Each structure stands twice: as structure tokens, then as C-alpha cells.
Amino acid sequence: MDVMSSLTNLRNSSDVLFLMLGAVMVFAMHAGFAFLEVGTVRKKNQVNAFVKILTDWSVSTIVYFLIGFPLAYGISFLTPAEKLLGTTQGYDLTHFFFLLCFAACIPAIISGGIAERAKFWPQVCAGAIFAALTYPIFESLIWGKNASLLQDLFKSFGGAEFHDYAGSVVVHSIGGWLALPAVIILGPRMGRYVRGKSHPIPISNIPFLALGSWILAIGWFGFNVMSAGHLDKISGLVAVNSLLAMVGGVLFALIAGKNDPGFVHNGALAGLIAVCAGSDIMHPLAAFVTGGIASIIFVYGFHIEQEKLKIDDVLGVWPLHGVIGSWGGIAAGIFGQKALGGMGGVTFISQLTGSLVAVVFALVNGFLVYGILSKTVGIRLAEEEEFAGADLSIHSIGAYPEEHVR
């Protein structure tokens, strides 16, 4: 009996450690979000990018702990610490930490789209709403306590449940499509489009942009591989599929983007976003193709968004996370088929439908939240504040304070 108890404790402890390591890796990705944004925005908005990401993370932690995680999984932490630890060494707590890192991606994604002209506190409030309610509600319908409500419908008419192993749709598509209403309602930055003509605004720091991409890419292996949840369910297939999708994204972007460093580094992210959903069921070569197609979507999607539709989405988060996240959900229904070397258990109809449901859900919530905030407290900086930059207007200090010393 003592031996069995010891083995059970060892297994529980191993699972807690496994998830904690994954959580730390995904937590580190938020530094990647920060540096990606800091490298893309102008110098006068770099401090704001850093503070936004860290503040959104902190607020997301509180609201997801108290509201979001219980809403998604029916587990409340408002009990004595002894009960929280339980007989599983606090597995639910570590599971919360891991999934918090996913939830906090939502405001981090949106941050890149609305950069350089958004008010600080209204966006903090929007991020809190998304992490406490919007994201957990959809999460509960795909992964959580209410999954049977939606998954049974997918299975009845599509032939299989909607499959999203690590969040191409649940995390990235939701985040990207939530960002689109914010960007549209905010409008373009001053000087971005003048009398209908496009005037691209140069980015500030390519090394910072590249650093952000690298941090995100490395942390992504925690995002995908540790989504197994338990040590005995770890999959080498997920690891290699993530790797090949990233590489496919880089190489295809290198060609389609004509050696542009911004496209190359975002191409890596495009591949990783797209493979999340089907990383556990695709063949590695299919993952490579999935990532490659994703980067092509980003290169041309970014151009269409910025130049044809004239949507000033600073980091291109709508095509990168929204559209490519949707592609990832659909790709799982294509390349997950056994006929194409996959593991099976998925259908194109269910994957397409689930991906479209996420788009509608995010757009409705995005327009509702940002529409209300825009009509009440306002979400855009005044012209003089935007001209001076968010750093001085909001935080009263620039990224390089010594430059202002006389």
C-alpha cells in the first residue's frame, strides 16, 4: 500500500512539475510579445508597449483566477490552502497557471494591433473582460466543462468533434479576431493614410523585433508540447511538428516576403500559430506545408490589410493570429486525415465550422466591448498625446531618459 501511495505521489508530482515547466515557458512568451511590439512601434511608444504587456498579464492573472478558470472548468480556488493542495500536490493550481498563460495571450495579441494610439486604462479594462469572460466562455465550449454542448453538435453533423490541440483557434484566432474591431474603431495612426494614400510608418528596432520572435518561438514548445497536460501523454510528434511548421513558415516567408526581416521573423510565428490545432495528429511534412501556407497568408494578408483595406493594424495581428489561427483549425481537418498521413479522428466539416464559429464569436464580442468603451470613456489618445507619443503622454518617461537630460 505504501509503495502504491508513493508511486501515485510521484506521478502527481511529475505532472505538476511537467505543467509548471510548460507554464514558465509560455509565461516567457509574453516577453516575446513585448519585444516584438517594442521593435515594431516607434521609439516614443516603446515604454508603453512594455508596461501594457506586463499590466495586462497581471490583471489577467487576477480575473482568470477568480472568474475565468472557474467559469471554464468549474474549479474554484476560494477554499482553504490545504484543500487546494489536496492529494494531487496542487495539480489544479498548476493547471490554472498553465492555462492562464493562454488566456493572457488575448490582450497581448490585441496590444500589437492597437499600438501607438490607444488609451491605457480602457484597454486594460477590455483585456480584463476578455480574460475573465469572453475567452473562458469559448474555452469552456471547446476544452472545458461545457464542451459537450458544442462538441456534440459538431459531431452530429460534421462526423467528429472540433479538434484544437493547443489553441490555433481557441487562443490565436479568438485573439486576432477580437483585435480587428478594436483596430477598426480606433482608426489609423496620424499620418498613416493621407487623402487615401498610404504612408507606411517605419519600425524602430529590427533586433528587438527579432528577439521577440525568437523568445516566442522557443516558448512555443511549452505552449504546444505541454498541452498534453500529463507527463505520460507527452508527444514527440507535437514537438517535431511544431519545429517543422516554424521552419516552413520561415522559408516560405523568406521567398514570398523577398528577404524582408519582418516577414521572416513573423513567418516563424505564422507557422507555429497554424500548427497548434493539429500538431498532435499531422505528419511532420504536412506540418511543414501548413506552416508554409500560413506564412504566405501573412505576407499577402498583411499587404491586403494595410494597403487595400487600409486597416492600420500595427503588428498585423489580425492576419497573423486571426486569419492564420482560423487556417490552423481548418488545416487540422485537412492534414489530420489518414489519407494524408495523419492520425485521423477529424473531419474537414467540423474543423471549418468550429473555426467559423470562433470568428463570429470574437467579432461580436470585440465590437460590443470596444463599441461600448468608445462611446463611454473613449479608447483613443488625443491628437497632441498621440503626437508626443504614448510613453510621455501616459507614463511621463521615454525609453531612453538620458536623451531628455539637458
Side-chain angles (χ1 to χ4, degrees), residues 44 71 84 234 265 282 315 329 380:
K44 63 182 180 179
L71 180 62
L84 292 179
I234 193 169
H265 286 92
M282 291 183 183
L315 268 68
R380 179 156 184 160

Side-chain angles (χ1 to χ4, degrees), residues 84-148:
L84 292 179
L85 189 63
T87 59
T88 61
Q89 280 71 48
Y91 179 84
D92 285 340
L93 288 168
T94 314
H95 195 209
F96 151 76
F97 183 13
F98 182 72
L99 292 175
L100 159 68
C101 299
F102 284 44
C105 285
I106 303 300
I109 289 168
I110 296 170
S111 177
I114 63 174
E116 302 202 292
R117 77 275 202 203
K119 287 184 176 180
F120 184 77
W121 286 111
Q123 174 52 28
V124 171
C125 291
I129 293 169
F130 296 145
L133 298 171
T134 303
Y135 172 79
I137 288 172
F138 193 78
E139 180 183 20
S140 75
L141 293 170
I142 304 300
W143 295 336
K145 66 176 184 177
N146 298 314
S148 61

